[in-house]
Structure formats: structure tokens, C-alpha cells
Amino acid sequence: MNYAIIFSAAVATLALSACDRPSTVVTTPPAVVTVPGPAGPTGATGSTGSAGSTGSTGYTGATGATGSAGSTGATGDTGATGQRGKTGGDTVVIVPPATPAR
């Protein structure tokens, strides 16, 4: 029985390989390449865009350093000489004595 199975398989292989099947050839049409034409005329200029929004306010800067001291000013002019005072007549000035230290 083992020979019958092997013999049947060999006969089936030879029978199937002996068949002449026509081969089908699939031909694909060549790809169409489209060539672009010349460029067209330039279009009209677009309208101006709207103005942007105002930016935010910046931060306050740091306080500056203290300045250096200024120079000494110029000496002023000498004032006019005053008039001589009157001599005292009967005016007496009394100065109290100083209190002794304790």
C-alpha cells in the first residue's frame, strides 16, 4: 500500500507538469507624462494687511547710582565797608559775673 501512494503521487506530478498552459502576457500602457506649458501672466497685487496690535509696556529700569560730589564754589566778592559807628554817650553795659563751677 505504501508503494501505491507513492506511485499515485508520481503519476499525478507527471500528468500535471505535462499540461501545456498558455501563458498570459499582461501589457501595461506606457505612463503618460504631462509637460507643463509656459507660465501665465502675473496676478494682481494683494491688498495691504491690517496693522498689528501695540506691544506691552516694558518693565521699569533699575535706579541709577548716586552722583559724585560737586566742586567747591567760587569765593564771593567782598562787601562794601560799613560806616563808622557813633560813640556812646551815657549807655552803660553791665555784664553779670560768671557763676563759679561746683
Side-chain angles (χ1 to χ4, degrees):
M1 177 161 273
N2 285 337
Y3 293 113
I5 293 175
I6 294 174
F7 182 71
S8 298
V11 169
T13 304
L14 289 174
L16 290 176
S17 64
C19 295
D20 183 27
R21 294 189 320 200
S23 62
T24 55
V25 177
V26 178
T27 58
T28 57
V32 178
V33 177
T34 305
V35 177
T42 305
T45 304
S47 60
T48 305
S50 59
S53 59
T54 305
S56 58
T57 305
Y59 296 110
T60 303
T63 305
T66 304
S68 58
S71 304
T72 304
T75 304
D77 296 334
T78 304
T81 305
Q83 296 178 354
R84 185 175 173 105
K86 298 182 183 178
T87 57
D90 55 355
T91 305
V92 178
V93 178
I94 299 174
V95 179
T99 56
R102 294 185 191 189

